[in-house]
Amino acid sequence: MAKPSRSDDVPGLPARRAALRLLDAVLRRGEPLELALHGAAQGLPPADRALVHAIAAETLRHLPDLDALIDGATHQPLPHDAKARMVLRVALTQLLALGTAPHAAIATALPLVDGGPRKLVHGVFGTLARSEPSLPQPPTLPADVETRWAGQWGKAMPQAAAQAYALRPAVDLTLRDAGQTEQWTETLGGVSLAPGHVRLLGAASIPELPGFDEGAWWVQDLAASCPARLLGQGQGRTVLDLCAAPGGKTMQLAAAGWQVTAVDQSKKRLERLSDNLRRTGLKADVVQADLRQWSPAAPADAILLDAPCTATGIYRRHPDVLHRIGPRQIAELAELQAELLARAAEWLKPGGTLIYATCSLEQAEGEEQIARFMAAHPGFTAQAATAAELPGGIDPTPQGHVRTLPATLAQQGGTDGFFIARLRRSVH
């Protein structure tokens, strides 16, 4: 007689256990998805790690809708942090978002609640599977996020954000030589929305594309390329790229003729920056340091501070931010940004240019941050961005800043959410 299989022998179960650990790290401990993935999926082969990431990311993307399905199939609501609810989320994500067969989804779900309410999980999943449910498109934003964004931007903004959430973000490339835009657009079969930019029109294996090995371009969202665009040509002048890793803006600045000092606190991210510089053949001085303790040897002609932020502007790629970020995190990061901005301002030559940028959709990290800085630093004035300096469809605000929102370039595939301000230090 065959020996009964243990639950650990169920094919694919280790990946589902890892997905459960990863979701717990994000939702209960507030850890970023990408950082928590290493610990949660440790020891798994690359294909399983990719599956763990996919399950967790799609669960987070559809979390309000998954919970609505679960609550509609239970007599009494399960606690928000109940293991049975989390297991059902994982099973339903596989069924409804990843195309996993029902029997495979439940076979890997039940062992996750060993010693727990297996009958409940089996019954709820079976009821839902038989009803042939679907996830709404676009996904529903978390209620607190929708309320917060509507309060800042109006009701149309979270509606546009939900629409963008449903779409795969475009892959943008920044070219080392903007003069070859037409050539690379044709070679890569993409479209260009600005000099030095190509947007790919389909999925692709980035390292296998023409131009990757010779460093002719690098992946960088179109909005993320705008801060460096506002500094123009360097002509041998000095620039500090602060919070620089993984290096997209450093490479832009180096390619534009600036003498770049790239500073970042993360050793691992700086290794990626150095790898990117080697691949592209571009030069920069790379410094690992905490900006709260470091200072340059001499003032710089220009400074680009891409400040640490909530990253709510990249929620399409990182759905965990919508579940980890709330008023407390926004306030804490706004205080850090204010500290770094004030320090960076001291490192600028008279007449120099300071670019402040965040990939955030929160006004506290953008518009309000700059208003507070300007009130405290009368020696700085806003230097308005011009339409000629920006990609078509990204227009300066009435204050001369740059703000991309979910509706920006929506018909062309959208952009990340960014705020950018250009300030000039007086010569006296």
Side-chain angles (χ1 to χ4, degrees):
M1 184 174 178
K3 189 176 180 180
S5 63
R6 297 180 298 113
S7 63
D8 287 345
D9 295 332
V10 176
L13 183 59
R16 276 66 174 188
R17 286 198 193 280
L20 209 59
R21 289 194 296 269
L22 182 52
L23 286 166
D24 182 71
V26 171
L27 295 173
R28 190 170 61 84
R29 300 200 297 273
E31 297 179 19
L33 179 68
E34 305 297 334
L35 293 180
L37 175 63
H38 175 73
Q42 196 164 15
L44 294 180
D48 281 358
R49 287 174 60 89
L51 176 59
V52 171
H53 184 276
I55 291 173
E58 290 308 303
T59 298
L60 294 167
R61 190 180 307 277
H62 297 283
L63 196 63
D65 298 315
L66 293 167
D67 282 345
L69 287 172
I70 294 167
D71 291 341
T74 54
H75 295 298
Q76 293 182 336
L78 293 169
H80 184 74
D81 58 351
K83 190 171 187 180
R85 180 183 288 276
M86 191 68 80
V87 170
L88 282 166
R89 289 166 171 169
V90 167
L92 290 169
T93 294
Q94 294 172 79
L95 176 70
L96 303 177
L98 301 179
T100 304
H103 70 273
I106 193 62
T108 52
L110 292 179
L112 299 176
V113 284
D114 272 347
R118 290 170 60 101
K119 288 185 178 180
L120 172 66
V121 169
H122 193 281
V124 171
F125 182 85
T127 297
L128 290 171
R130 287 190 294 273
S131 69
E132 298 184 355
S134 60
L135 293 170
Q137 294 295 337
T140 302
L141 296 178
D144 59 334
V145 174
E146 182 174 358
T147 299
R148 188 174 75 238
W149 286 352
Q152 294 180 69
W153 305 107
K155 293 183 178 179
M157 186 277 203
Q159 294 173 2
Q163 293 289 339
Y165 206 20
L167 304 175
R168 181 189 296 271
V171 176
D172 292 325
L173 308 179
T174 295
L175 305 180
R176 186 178 57 200
D177 182 357
Q180 298 182 353
T181 302
E182 185 175 348
Q183 170 195 329
W184 283 111
T185 301
E186 182 178 349
T187 298
L188 295 166
V191 297
S192 179
L193 302 178
H197 167 266
V198 176
R199 174 162 287 184
L200 303 181
L201 296 179
S205 174
I206 298 299
E208 296 176 4
L209 290 175
F212 177 84
D213 288 337
E214 56 264 45
W217 48 260
W218 53 90
V219 176
Q220 184 181 35
D221 185 81
L222 181 61
S225 74
C226 290
R229 290 177 183 272
L230 293 185
L231 283 177
Q233 295 298 308
Q235 299 173 327
R237 292 175 293 164
T238 59
V239 62
L240 303 177
D241 185 11
L242 306 179
C243 308
K249 300 174 186 65
T250 295
M251 291 183 286
Q252 281 182 277
L253 295 168
W258 290 89
Q259 293 184 36
V260 188
T261 298
V263 186
D264 200 279
Q265 188 173 0
S266 170
K267 179 181 179 181
K268 186 174 182 180
R269 285 166 57 83
L270 281 176
E271 289 173 355
R272 288 179 57 197
L273 185 152
S274 297
D275 288 343
N276 284 329
L277 288 173
R278 281 191 289 270
R279 183 173 64 85
T280 57
L282 296 168
K283 305 293 184 183
D285 293 326
V286 178
V287 178
Q288 181 187 355
D290 183 338
L291 293 178
R292 293 168 294 185
Q293 300 170 0
W294 178 84
S295 59
D301 294 300
I303 294 174
L304 195 164
L305 172 60
D306 188 0
C309 71
T310 57
T312 49
I314 56 175
Y315 72 99
R316 298 178 303 162
R317 308 171 200 275
H318 301 282
D320 56 299
V321 300
L322 299 189
H323 303 283
R324 294 189 296 104
I325 299 301
R328 178 175 62 84
Q329 290 82 5
I330 294 168
E332 289 174 352
L333 281 160
E335 287 304 312
L336 174 60
Q337 293 152 12
E339 179 183 356
L340 297 182
L341 189 52
R343 282 183 63 79
E346 298 175 354
W347 304 336
L348 192 64
K349 290 181 181 179
T353 301
L354 170 62
I355 302 288
Y356 171 82
T358 57
C359 56
S360 170
L361 290 167
E362 315 301 331
Q363 292 185 9
E365 300 182 273
E367 291 82 352
E368 294 172 11
Q369 186 69 258
I370 287 300
R372 182 166 62 164
F373 174 84
M374 299 284 282
H377 296 79
F380 283 79
T381 56
Q383 188 176 7
T386 66
E389 296 174 292
L390 298 169
I394 299 180
D395 299 315
T397 68
Q399 295 77 27
H401 307 319
V402 179
R403 163 58 77 183
T404 58
L405 290 167
T408 303
L409 292 173
Q411 297 302 313
Q412 292 82 20
T415 68
D416 288 343
F418 253 85
F419 173 82
I420 308 159
R422 180 169 60 186
L423 310 176
R424 183 175 182 272
R425 186 174 187 175
S426 67
V427 296
H428 303 294

